[in-house]
Amino acid sequence: MKNITTLFTAICITLISFAQDDVYPTQPYNGKLYITNGTVHVGNGQVIENATIEVNNGKIIQVGQNIAIDQNHSKLIDAKGKQVYPGLILAETNLGLQEIANGVRGSNDYQELGDLNPNIRSIVAYNTDSKIIGTLRANGILLASVTPQGGSISGSSSVVQTDAWNWEDAAYKVDGAIHLNMPSFINIPNRFAMYFGLPQDPSDPVKQALEKVDQLKSFFRQANAYLEEPTHQQTNLKFEAVRGLFDKKQKLFVHANQVKQMLVAIDFVKEFGFDVVIVGGSESFLIADLLKQNHIAVILEQMHELPATVDDDFDQPYKTPSQLQKAGVLFAINDSHEESRFRNLMFEAGTAAAYGLTKEEALEAITLNAAKVLGIDDRTGSIEVGKDANIIISEGDILDMRSSIISNAIIQGREVSLQNKQTQLYERYMHKYGLK
Amino acid sequence: MRNLLSAASRKWASLVLLFLITHPTFAQPSFPINGVADPRTGTYAFTHATIVKDGQATLSDATLLISEGKIIAVDNHTTIPKGAVVVDCSGKYIYPSFIDIYSDYGIPIPERQRGGFDYRAPAQFNSNTKGAYGWNQAIKPETNGSKIFSVDDSKAKPLRDIGFGSVLTHQKDGIARGTGVFVSLADDKENLVVIKEKASAHYSFSKGTSTQSYPSSLMGVIALLRQTYLDAQWYKSKPNKEGVNISLQSWLENQNLPQIFEANDKWNDLRADRIGKEFGVQYIIKAGGNEYQRIEDIAATKDAYILSLNYPLAMDLEDPNDARFVSLAVMKHWELAPTNPASFEKAGIPFCLTTADLKDPKQFIPNLRKAFDYGLSEARAFDALTKTPATLLGVYDKVGSLDPGKLANFLITNGPIFNEKTVILQNWVQGKKYGVNEEEWNNIKGTYSLTLNTTSGPTTYTLNVKSANSASLISKDTLTSKFNYDGKMVKMSFSPTTVKKSIPHDSTAHAPSEKRKPGSDTKTGPYILLSGVANGSTWSGTGEDTLGNPLTWVANFVKAAAPAIDSEKKKMVLTLGKVLYPFSGYGWEELPKQETILIKNATVWTNEQEGRLANTDVLVKNGKIAQIGKNLSEPSAKTIDGTGKSLTAGIIDEHSHIAAASINEGGQSVTSEVRIADNLNPEDPNIYRQLAGGVTSSHILHGSANTIGGQTQLIKLRWGQDDEGIKFKNWDPFIKFALGENVKRTTSQNNNRFPDTRMGVDQVLVDAFTRAKDYENEWAKAEANNKKKGAKRMVVRRDLELDALVEILNKKRFITCHSYVQSEITDLIRVADRFGFKVNTFTHILEGYKVADKMKEHGSSASTFSDWWAYKMEVQDAIAYNATIMQKVGLNVCINSDDAEQARRLNQEAAKSVKYGGMSEEDAWKMVTLNPAKALHVSDRVGSIKVGKDADLVLWSDNPLSIYAKPLVTMVDGTIYFDTQKDLDHRKYISEERNRLVQKMLSEKKSGGPTRPASPSFQILLGCGDHERHNGLITLELNDDNLIEK
């Protein structure tokens, strides 16, 4: 019998190793959970040594030292010598919408046809079985804001948690932001034209951009008027889709890198009173004080980037966060790297720490600040009483490659699997070569 | 000399002259005449002129005698023959007219494909040109300018108006462009205008209107030119298999002509020169205007150059957000471009000047004057427009100076040619006059007495003529008048009364002769209209008075205007920035020098058996690591405190695409003939940025557009050196191969280039090496045969593509192969086994972990990404543990960038293997230093800290694998190219210099100078074909294979 059990176990393990589809989402856990003896990085700048976190029914109910542990019906994770952090939040991503980037059109669900698509909702296409999700979870990224792309208004993004059976299961905050792509105010030269000595596009980019901005404003003005009517003869789905912006239940995420694009975004705040967040923000360091004055938050889309101009300091993208921090701008750091597929979020923050942020500020930029920007800071983003128990435990400093090794990840109180396609292929081939 | 001639010989000379004039050739032209014959000799004597014969000789009060379109005599004593029209040129200057050596005057511009270029269109493998021509549509040496040339006076006139009399014209299309025809700018039959039918052969790096896929890159163009030189040699043997090839035939015929290469850029000049040197050709190079940035390199080519005077305009930088996008290099070039001709003169480089590239030829003279302001001498400019081009083209016996026997191509001016106030009066081409500013022939400025004879009797006014277009009329008051004099006719209108009232906006009551802007003047009334003829100092004609009654009029010259006192031209004080090496904000005024350096008390990561040495000193001398130990001292050394810091060998990036002008030649599936080395760009700002990330060597690879790509180049990041100076010297040559999705054009909707599957990739490889073997055998056979006495010589076509493959077979060239999935990796190993060579390195190799044992057995190195995956189908199984598994199996594993940004953080990429799979720190570090050195066969010189190795070192602020680590000092060969202080100096310089130049452009705009809208400077990032990044503001990240027809 024992032999049979062993054999059965072996078969199970083999199966698990062979098929990543057997990485299961964890069943809900409503009991108590304690994380003890760890160094807790709260996410708001505070660090508590040798702390205990008490979780009940998925919520954090106590954090601190000298917390008594209820031995009945509870789980306990000893984090001695380890670092405890809030779950990391990816503030802008096409996760679950784009599985295989290049050459496989069928795997792409991130960009719809048309220019004004406020009614497009990313959440309905979010694929919880994407193989990429598991690699993020294994690195401590527990929440992600899944965002559609393309057009002038791409649609609405939703925040998902990364351990789910289906998109309804995954939904953490639905349709929290509408995404607007600001037109470019500079002409990007056409390389083909250059190569073949053909004349470049003579059009005036500023004029074209302003015309586009005018169209966008006109859309929102008409939407506003429409929404003030109590009833409509004909329903306009696009107008209906932006109601939350006027009610302040949604934010307007403006994708903009150039100063002029961001100035137009500020103008949007003034005219419509929207909650505006800049996504991109390469040049945000140039207008940090204006952003602060207008209460505009920034998602720095990609830290590991070349300087925008030839003459910029070589480390400009790396030090932009510290410049925003100094000016008091609320900002989140993001990872939109299409080849490593967003799993280096903590290292993007680590680079910011190397170039001027404190480690806790860098952490905040990928936890609490991201939660604030996404409007979910009442529920997550820090290890504070009353919030969801979205917590990760790392062997060491999570911002540094050598020690950023996640041992546990907890989403809403349940400990989730750190296995994924990559860990399983690793095991499979270590097995092939008889390696340990 | 002439003055010393004896009276007798003068007489003799006159006789010869008479003979020449009275005995022209009597042959009748073949063209029939519709009407009555009107033969003329066109004999003219221009007397009392100052004649500038050439740059050396000027005669005053001399006579120029021309007849039958040619110069008969130029001297002080010519007997003017009867039958000559005498033109008194007192006070006038006569010059040989200018020559433009780089024109397409009268040559049709070939039409481009309509609808623009579509890179997704199917590939075109063969030339579309009909006829027995060569295989490549861009090689068209058979184009003969004289066969497509037609006289076009609308284009000739603007050139004549600025002093040109003859041009070398050719069709500016294609890589080999055929022959140029030397023509005069006369408005005559083509037969008479053509001076030399085949005067030059032309080349360029641009394939122009060719629709053929190959070449799709600069290095492909270079390879194609080199191969064509070889093919032409081979064609001399009349190979049966080639049949008739008109292109190669023409290529051979053209070799005796002056060879002109349009390079258009300082680096391209050098590239062209190298092709020339390889095949024994001294090109005349059409320059780009930025040569002053590398004038020593340019001088070393010993070529002659053609310079255009097309300076960039100032940009409108009033908006600081626009200004921000304009790079310092662009602003500096704006400031320094007018120094280009002067820097050629100073460096003693022969050059000609051309109007090419100017939007309007009218810009030529003002721009030339600007060149004078910036240091060019007038004498040199004059030569550059006359003698130099004529000599280079071998037509100095016909044009370029005023000597008997030459064409009567000359200019008559009213002063020294380059003076600001001087105008060209007449431009004579082949003995025929073309008026330019004839109205200035007579100086009409002065006072005239104007008498109007009307029915009511004469009225007299004083006419004060200021210029051909301006005069004022005085009676009691100064009257509003319009005046125009064109050298022959005079027109004038004025209002004799002064009416002070505003004009109604739509007044048509008086139907004034000209449209006036409402309210534009207050003194007006009905007009008197005059028109007449100028005959010397007396002008007369007819007119109408204010009531429309006819009148006659006479104006008599009274006295000349006092000569305008030339306000002494302000000597321009030039405040110019300095040339930087490289020409970038981060460049140097003076290149950094090798130093003796002692790094004290650092943690030294040796990568050798000693491992990490704490508190250790390293001495660098003569570019090498001289000593490693404790308490070293060297009084002459610059000491750097390494306390608390880490010293490592510089990072070596096995897979990079920086520092090259093109990366992918995707025109064919096998392009082993192309070489990255042919198109290095030592001014890529990413060199500097990567130094700041601790990189000291990069292996610049061809892209992945095709199965057998191009030859690679290992460089050292010697920021500031030229394209030769950045090469890693004496290394084993490598070549890039690629497998999988990119080479089968997966993202193309309609690929027609073989292969389309991995099955086809296998056959591309097998076929290529089979051909290479056969080729090698053929050469061996021919060589053996040709040693035998009396044997008929065997000639084998030298094939640059197969040469490189034969080198692989003979283990003289080594492969680094882009590869992903296990099937293709195994297949290439088996192909290599079959042909008896090794695959040196598999790069990317994201499924290497699946076949690490096979790679180990074969003996390959692996160079991979740390954690890239899922960006296309073939990387779905890529895992971040790949490096660790391969390393555990025993492979030599490297971590590479393939990305200009990631290359700045390769230390972090290496550190990820500590996270994924628990590699030791020292092993992880070797993956970006010693292991790539081994993979590249240069570990005897770089990759570790060992006495005798190159001093390519980095001092880090922290453990180099830490995310918090920053390079403080990066040196290559003991020369510090980056350190934090130097970087701060660069930043300060950039900020100050940018500000200075923005201000300068603003003041240019305020002072009314021409400006153009601010246009963003952009960075082109070339990629392998695998990935694109898009977050940068104005970064163009493009894969070259997008440029080829997929």
Side-chain angles (χ1 to χ4, degrees):
Chain A
M1 185 64 194
K2 198 185 170 194
N3 280 349
I4 291 172
T5 313
T6 312
L7 184 65
F8 181 73
T9 313
I11 290 170
C12 282
I13 288 169
T14 315
L15 279 175
I16 288 167
S17 302
F18 275 39
Q20 57 285 338
D21 292 339
D22 295 348
V23 177
Y24 302 115
T26 310
Q27 295 300 324
Y29 173 70
N30 295 326
K32 283 201 169 180
L33 166 71
Y34 293 90
I35 301 163
T36 59
N37 302 322
T39 302
V40 173
H41 301 261
V42 176
N44 60 4
Q46 212 189 333
V47 181
I48 312 170
E49 300 285 346
N50 198 18
T52 299
I53 302 167
E54 183 179 4
V55 174
N56 189 20
N57 202 15
K59 300 275 182 196
I60 297 164
I61 57 171
Q62 278 200 87
V63 188
Q65 291 164 334
N66 307 319
I67 290 169
I69 292 167
D70 177 0
Q71 300 292 349
N72 298 324
H73 310 290
S74 61
K75 283 187 185 173
L76 192 136
I77 301 169
D78 185 359
K80 192 168 175 55
K82 296 186 179 179
Q83 310 292 315
V84 183
Y85 301 95
L88 310 184
I89 303 169
L90 194 57
E92 198 258 332
T93 182
N94 61 26
L95 181 70
L97 301 179
Q98 185 200 54
E99 189 66 7
I100 305 165
N102 226 339
V104 186
R105 196 169 172 265
S107 84
N108 296 337
D109 273 311
Y110 57 91
Q111 179 164 350
E112 193 43 80
L113 301 172
D115 189 50
L116 297 175
N117 288 330
N119 46 319
I120 287 295
R121 304 173 65 222
S122 66
I123 189 71
V124 300
Y126 176 67
N127 173 20
T128 47
D129 294 330
S130 160
K131 303 296 174 286
I132 294 152
I133 298 168
T135 65
L136 301 194
R137 208 168 48 223
N139 275 1
I141 298 160
L142 305 187
L143 296 169
S145 179
V146 176
T147 308
Q149 297 169 19
S152 292
I153 299 177
S154 318
S156 64
S157 58
S158 293
V159 180
V160 296
Q161 52 90 2
T162 52
D163 180 63
W165 291 101
N166 53 59
W167 64 259
E168 287 183 307
D169 235 12
Y172 198 81
K173 173 163 182 159
V174 173
D175 300 335
I178 301 274
H179 291 258
L180 183 149
N181 296 306
M182 198 55 85
S184 174
F185 284 75
I186 51 177
N187 259 343
I188 304 293
N190 181 323
R191 180 98 191 283
F192 302 125
M194 267 171 48
Y195 187 78
F196 291 95
L198 303 170
Q200 292 284 346
D201 180 7
S203 60
D204 178 354
V206 174
K207 189 164 163 265
Q208 285 185 343
L210 289 175
E211 277 168 16
K212 175 55 79 181
V213 169
D214 213 46
Q215 285 172 26
L216 290 169
K217 284 192 164 180
S218 162
F219 170 81
F220 284 111
R221 285 179 197 133
Q222 290 178 56
N224 191 21
Y226 169 94
L227 293 169
E228 277 172 5
E229 282 182 320
T231 56
H232 312 292
Q233 252 188 331
Q234 281 190 314
T235 303
N236 184 318
L237 290 177
K238 298 187 184 213
F239 290 160
E240 297 284 352
V242 297
R243 187 183 292 278
L245 288 176
F246 292 97
D247 296 351
K248 298 256 194 173
K249 285 178 183 153
Q250 284 177 312
K251 297 190 181 189
L252 183 67
F253 278 29
V254 179
H255 294 246
N257 278 308
Q258 305 154 16
V259 166
K260 283 184 186 172
Q261 291 178 313
M262 291 187 281
L263 292 177
V264 174
I266 292 173
D267 189 41
F268 261 80
V269 177
K270 295 205 166 133
E271 176 165 354
F272 299 104
F274 295 155
D275 274 342
V276 167
V277 173
I278 300 284
V279 184
S282 296
E283 289 199 305
S284 55
F285 67 98
L286 289 171
I287 54 164
D289 53 343
L290 282 180
L291 294 171
K292 166 75 181 159
Q293 279 167 32
N294 291 282
H295 310 291
I296 293 180
V298 178
I299 297 171
L300 293 169
E301 201 171 11
Q302 177 72 47
M303 285 280 306
H304 289 155
E305 198 52 65
L306 288 170
T309 76
V310 191
D311 294 341
D312 274 355
D313 298 346
F314 75 84
D315 55 2
Q316 182 56 57
Y318 304 162
K319 68 183 180 189
T320 299
S322 74
Q323 289 167 306
L324 296 183
Q325 183 85 29
K326 276 201 192 86
V329 176
L330 174 65
F331 70 95
I333 289 174
N334 189 53
D335 178 4
S336 64
H337 196 272
E338 288 286 338
E339 288 80 34
S340 53
R341 298 313 276 274
F342 332 127
R343 60 171 135 174
N344 291 322
L345 179 62
M346 58 286 177
F347 306 139
E348 304 264 337
T351 299
Y355 287 84
L357 288 188
T358 66
K359 290 185 191 181
E360 297 309 313
E361 285 167 351
L363 176 70
E364 210 171 338
I366 53 176
T367 54
L368 186 57
N369 286 1
K372 285 179 181 167
V373 167
L374 296 170
I376 51 175
D377 54 314
D378 55 332
R379 292 159 63 196
T380 190
S382 58
I383 303 178
E384 290 179 282
V385 173
K387 291 198 179 180
D388 285 353
N390 297 332
I391 298 167
I392 53 174
I393 304 172
S394 168
E395 300 291 342
D397 180 0
I398 197 176
L399 304 179
D400 188 87
M401 281 89 181
R402 296 167 301 161
S403 51
S404 187
I405 297 160
I406 305 297
S407 58
N408 309 77
I410 294 140
I411 297 179
Q412 293 161 321
R414 59 189 197 278
E415 187 168 4
V416 299
S417 172
L418 298 175
Q419 288 291 99
N420 56 60
K421 182 178 175 181
Q422 297 211 358
T423 57
Q424 292 179 336
L425 280 168
Y426 175 50
E427 281 164 26
R428 178 179 159 99
Y429 282 90
M430 290 294 274
H431 171 79
K432 169 174 158 60
Y433 301 120
L435 293 168
K436 257 283 174 190
Chain B
M1 202 48 199
R2 281 280 191 179
N3 296 337
L4 300 176
L5 287 175
S6 68
S9 62
R10 277 189 208 169
K11 196 165 187 180
W12 184 83
S14 304
L15 277 172
V16 172
L17 262 178
L18 279 174
F19 175 82
L20 277 172
I21 292 169
T22 49
H23 294 85
T25 46
F26 280 106
Q28 300 288 336
S30 58
F31 291 86
I33 297 162
N34 178 22
V36 178
D38 181 15
R40 303 183 194 184
T41 62
T43 307
Y44 290 88
F46 302 88
T47 59
H48 308 298
T50 302
I51 299 181
V52 178
K53 288 181 60 187
D54 53 39
Q56 260 69 49
T58 301
L59 309 174
S60 47
D61 194 20
T63 300
L64 168 68
L65 184 63
I66 67 167
S67 184
E68 299 274 343
K70 291 199 169 165
I71 297 166
I72 304 301
V74 190
D75 53 34
N76 295 88
H77 49 265
T78 296
T79 315
I80 297 165
K82 293 210 166 66
V85 179
V86 176
V87 182
D88 181 359
C89 291
S90 302
K92 311 282 185 287
Y93 287 70
I94 300 182
Y95 293 90
S97 56
F98 301 153
I99 300 162
D100 190 339
I101 191 171
Y102 207 78
S103 175
D104 57 1
Y105 162 65
I107 299 274
I109 299 161
E111 261 187 61
R112 290 184 180 273
Q113 259 190 321
R114 293 181 69 86
F117 176 78
D118 180 7
Y119 66 85
R120 285 159 306 195
Q124 180 194 325
F125 300 104
N126 295 305
S127 169
N128 280 345
T129 311
K130 292 188 173 66
Y133 298 106
W135 75 277
N136 198 286
Q137 209 174 319
I139 298 289
K140 32 192 200 174
E142 64 276 4
T143 303
N144 180 337
S146 69
K147 292 187 179 171
I148 50 177
F149 167 75
S150 57
V151 170
D152 178 354
D153 205 48
S154 70
K155 296 274 162 48
K157 186 176 181 303
L159 291 171
R160 284 196 309 257
D161 286 354
I162 56 171
F164 286 88
S166 52
V167 299
L168 175 67
T169 178
H170 74 284
Q171 191 167 48
K172 294 177 180 171
D173 183 53
I175 294 167
R177 300 172 159 188
T179 54
V181 53
F182 191 67
V183 301
S184 84
L185 292 173
D187 186 15
D188 210 332
K189 281 200 290 279
E190 283 77 10
N191 315 65
L192 299 175
V193 164
V194 169
I195 300 170
K196 193 169 181 184
E197 198 186 325
K198 280 189 177 183
S200 55
H202 293 263
Y203 307 88
S204 85
F205 288 123
S206 161
K207 71 179 185 179
T209 58
S210 167
T211 48
Q212 194 169 352
S213 301
Y214 186 92
S216 70
S217 65
L218 176 58
M219 57 187 168
V221 172
I222 293 170
L224 177 59
L225 278 165
R226 295 175 64 232
Q227 185 64 56
T228 310
Y229 275 107
L230 294 170
D231 286 350
Q233 280 309 311
W234 166 74
Y235 187 71
K236 280 184 186 165
S237 71
K238 299 195 171 26
N240 262 338
K241 282 186 181 168
E242 187 71 8
V244 172
N245 185 327
I246 297 170
S247 300
L248 291 179
Q249 185 58 47
S250 307
W251 177 284
L252 287 168
E253 286 163 12
N254 295 352
Q255 290 308 306
N256 299 325
L257 302 169
Q259 307 285 304
I260 300 183
F261 204 114
E262 176 168 12
N264 281 352
D265 164 71
K266 59 181 190 276
W267 300 122
N268 276 348
D269 298 344
L270 303 179
R271 289 169 187 138
D273 176 68
R274 283 177 199 133
I275 298 171
K277 296 285 189 289
E278 182 178 356
F279 297 97
V281 178
Q282 195 81 35
Y283 290 123
I284 300 162
I285 293 176
K286 161 69 172 37
N290 59 1
E291 285 71 16
Y292 65 91
Q293 297 165 10
R294 289 279 168 179
I295 200 69
E296 285 173 21
D297 283 336
I298 298 293
T301 64
K302 307 268 184 230
D303 295 320
Y305 286 79
I306 302 168
L307 309 185
S308 85
L309 299 176
N310 185 24
Y311 317 132
L313 294 181
M315 287 191 201
D316 179 356
L317 300 183
E318 278 180 346
D319 181 336
N321 287 315
D322 291 344
R324 178 173 144 63
F325 294 129
V326 180
S327 74
L328 181 58
V330 166
M331 291 194 265
K332 281 183 86 72
H333 179 53
W334 163 74
E335 183 181 47
L336 294 174
T339 66
N340 203 42
S343 68
F344 272 80
E345 180 177 7
K346 215 170 137 198
I349 307 166
F351 66 92
C352 318
L353 295 171
T354 176
T355 60
D357 307 336
L358 294 175
K359 279 208 185 81
D360 183 345
K362 280 198 189 98
Q363 298 167 320
F364 183 76
I365 297 294
N367 285 3
L368 182 60
R369 292 214 173 96
K370 197 163 188 184
F372 296 149
D373 292 340
Y374 284 67
L376 177 67
S377 75
E378 293 188 0
R380 194 68 189 78
F382 186 71
D383 274 356
L385 286 163
T386 54
K387 185 175 178 181
T388 312
T391 310
L392 285 171
L393 294 176
V395 291
Y396 193 54
D397 59 331
K398 295 198 174 69
V399 290
S401 71
L402 299 180
D403 282 300
K406 293 196 178 183
L407 295 180
N409 284 7
F410 59 93
L411 310 170
I412 304 179
T413 67
N414 63 359
I417 181 90
F418 294 128
N419 274 17
E420 196 100 24
K421 296 243 157 83
T422 296
V423 295
I424 297 170
L425 304 169
Q426 296 174 348
N427 182 343
W428 289 69
V429 184
Q430 292 186 292
K432 193 174 158 195
K433 184 190 84 175
Y434 297 89
V436 181
N437 295 294
E438 290 204 86
E439 70 283 1
E440 305 262 359
W441 186 280
N442 291 316
N443 186 357
I444 55 162
K445 290 173 205 163
T447 313
Y448 295 74
S449 155
L450 171 67
T451 306
L452 306 188
N453 301 303
T454 60
T455 43
S456 54
T459 326
T460 300
Y461 300 86
T462 301
L463 180 66
N464 196 351
V465 177
K466 291 166 195 152
S467 77
N469 293 309
S470 162
S472 55
L473 201 62
I474 302 157
S475 65
K476 282 172 229 159
D477 219 338
T478 301
L479 303 173
T480 311
S481 62
K482 286 277 271 182
F483 176 81
N484 178 267
Y485 164 81
D486 67 1
K488 294 173 199 81
M489 307 297 286
V490 180
K491 274 190 294 188
M492 212 180 335
S493 63
F494 64 95
S495 173
T497 50
T498 319
V499 184
K500 290 200 175 169
K501 67 172 185 193
S502 62
I503 301 163
H505 278 208
D506 53 353
S507 166
T508 50
H510 299 295
S513 64
E514 62 163 322
K515 224 179 181 176
R516 285 179 312 243
K517 282 185 201 148
S520 65
D521 52 9
T522 51
K523 291 181 179 182
T524 190
Y527 280 80
I528 291 176
L529 309 172
L530 305 180
S531 142
V533 186
N535 187 359
S537 55
T538 305
W539 305 348
S540 57
T542 60
E544 284 179 13
D545 69 8
T546 52
L547 301 170
N549 299 316
L551 57 80
T552 62
W553 62 274
V554 177
N556 286 307
F557 183 72
V558 180
K559 69 169 182 168
I565 300 155
D566 272 11
S567 52
E568 189 61 37
K569 203 181 158 194
K570 271 184 285 171
K571 189 78 187 154
M572 256 185 63
V573 184
L574 288 175
T575 44
L576 300 178
K578 290 202 169 141
V579 173
L580 300 175
Y581 305 93
F583 201 72
S584 146
Y586 291 93
W588 318 98
E589 281 179 18
E590 297 244 348
L591 288 183
K593 292 194 175 66
Q594 211 170 60
E595 294 173 276
T596 301
I597 301 165
L598 180 60
I599 300 117
K600 298 283 290 178
N601 202 31
T603 301
V604 178
W605 294 52
T606 63
N607 282 354
E608 297 286 338
Q609 277 185 338
E610 298 82 3
R612 265 181 283 196
L613 301 172
N615 308 106
T616 298
D617 303 348
V618 173
L619 178 67
V620 169
K621 241 179 167 172
N622 301 321
K624 303 279 182 197
I625 296 163
Q627 239 183 311
I628 306 165
K630 308 250 177 192
N631 303 316
L632 300 183
S633 79
E634 168 67 52
S636 67
K638 167 182 187 162
T639 305
I640 298 172
D641 181 15
T643 308
K645 304 181 175 86
S646 293
L647 185 74
T648 70
I651 290 174
I652 301 168
D653 189 354
E654 195 280 332
H655 189 136
S656 175
H657 298 297
I658 62 165
S662 70
I663 283 295
N664 259 319
E665 174 50 62
Q668 296 169 342
S669 280
V670 181
T671 60
S672 38
E673 69 279 10
V674 307
R675 309 184 293 197
I676 292 289
D678 286 335
N679 73 163
L680 288 175
N681 170 20
E683 297 189 312
D684 184 343
N686 291 308
I687 294 175
Y688 182 77
R689 292 168 180 161
Q690 294 186 12
L691 281 164
V695 182
T696 53
S697 289
S698 295
H699 189 202
I700 313 305
L701 302 187
H702 185 275
S704 55
N706 43 9
T707 310
I708 299 185
Q711 302 172 27
T712 68
Q713 180 63 46
L714 186 61
I715 63 167
K716 283 204 182 189
L717 305 194
R718 301 187 190 100
W719 179 240
Q721 305 273 5
D722 64 13
D723 51 356
E724 279 298 316
I726 62 170
K727 286 182 181 169
F728 196 115
K729 302 280 156 29
N730 305 316
W731 68 302
D732 282 349
F734 275 67
I735 187 167
K736 170 78 175 291
F737 278 35
L739 310 171
E741 285 185 27
N742 293 18
V743 310
K744 64 198 185 87
R745 297 239 157 288
T746 304
T747 54
S748 170
Q749 298 303 312
N750 46 8
N751 175 47
N752 68 338
R753 194 190 76 184
F754 188 91
D756 202 43
T757 64
R758 288 187 170 85
M759 303 181 287
V761 174
D762 165 75
Q763 284 303 296
V764 168
L765 292 164
V766 171
D767 173 62
F769 284 108
T770 304
R771 284 188 292 124
K773 280 240 162 194
D774 292 347
Y775 173 73
E776 193 184 16
N777 290 339
E778 208 180 338
W779 267 106
K781 225 188 288 170
E783 272 165 18
N785 170 75
N786 294 347
K787 274 183 200 151
K788 281 186 230 152
K789 268 189 193 160
K792 191 174 175 256
R793 243 189 100 70
M794 279 176 68
V795 182
V796 185
R797 172 177 175 261
R798 207 179 134 208
D799 187 320
L800 294 173
E801 173 186 307
L802 296 177
D803 279 353
L805 298 178
V806 169
E807 286 172 0
I808 296 169
L809 291 172
N810 294 329
K811 303 183 181 63
K812 287 181 177 147
R813 181 171 294 282
F814 302 90
I815 297 168
T816 187
C817 184
H818 159 119
S819 48
Y820 285 109
V821 302
Q822 57 159 310
S823 60
E824 67 194 19
I825 300 164
T826 307
D827 181 55
L828 179 60
I829 290 174
R830 296 301 162 242
V831 170
D833 288 346
R834 175 171 163 187
F835 288 93
F837 62 89
K838 297 270 176 249
V839 182
N840 189 91
T841 310
F842 283 98
T843 186
H844 297 342
I845 192 71
L846 289 177
E847 284 191 15
Y849 70 94
K850 292 187 180 176
V851 287
D853 47 353
K854 296 183 197 223
M855 289 164 61
K856 171 99 169 66
E857 189 198 339
H858 183 69
S860 301
S861 287
S863 184
T864 187
F865 299 120
S866 61
D867 61 356
W868 288 18
W869 82 302
Y871 47 95
K872 54 178 167 174
M873 193 64 207
E874 64 189 354
V875 293
Q876 293 305 298
D877 275 7
I879 62 176
Y881 305 90
N882 185 37
T884 313
I885 295 179
M886 292 194 296
Q887 193 249 9
K888 282 185 175 160
V889 170
L891 291 173
N892 178 49
V893 182
C894 322
I895 297 282
N896 65 50
S897 77
D898 187 21
D899 177 283
E901 201 290 318
Q902 189 155 290
R904 321 198 286 160
R905 298 177 292 101
L906 274 172
N907 59 321
Q908 301 178 4
E909 294 303 302
K912 284 179 184 166
S913 288
V914 179
K915 168 177 167 64
Y916 296 108
M919 195 182 285
S920 78
E921 288 198 5
E922 282 184 54
D923 280 344
W925 182 246
K926 284 178 189 167
M927 292 200 296
V928 291
T929 49
L930 186 60
N931 297 358
K934 285 180 184 166
L936 290 159
H937 307 184
V938 289
S939 58
D940 57 331
R941 278 176 286 162
V942 293
S944 68
I945 300 187
K946 188 178 173 187
V947 171
K949 280 199 175 183
D950 293 356
D952 294 3
L953 300 172
V954 185
L955 185 67
W956 301 83
S957 62
D958 205 327
N959 177 319
L961 293 171
S962 160
I963 195 152
Y964 308 111
K966 293 188 236 179
L968 303 172
V969 179
T970 306
M971 68 179 85
V972 179
D973 304 321
T975 304
I976 296 176
Y977 286 98
F978 171 85
D979 71 34
T980 38
Q981 184 54 48
K982 285 184 179 175
D983 187 58
L984 289 177
D985 294 346
H986 283 308
R987 292 179 188 195
K988 183 160 173 278
Y989 173 85
I990 288 170
S991 157
E992 288 170 1
E993 187 74 346
R994 283 187 63 88
N995 182 54
R996 181 181 73 81
L997 285 161
V998 168
Q999 293 299 329
K1000 194 168 178 178
M1001 285 204 188
L1002 287 178
S1003 65
E1004 173 99 355
K1005 191 193 173 194
K1006 291 210 175 91
S1007 66
T1011 56
R1012 60 188 162 127
S1015 131
S1017 315
F1018 49 89
Q1019 315 164 55
I1020 292 174
L1021 293 180
L1022 296 171
C1024 177
D1026 260 1
H1027 61 285
E1028 283 178 46
R1029 303 272 297 282
H1030 48 77
N1031 293 295
L1033 272 177
I1034 44 170
T1035 306
L1036 282 190
E1037 296 219 32
L1038 283 163
N1039 304 316
D1040 254 20
D1041 61 321
N1042 282 347
L1043 291 174
I1044 61 161
E1045 300 87 339
K1046 283 187 183 174

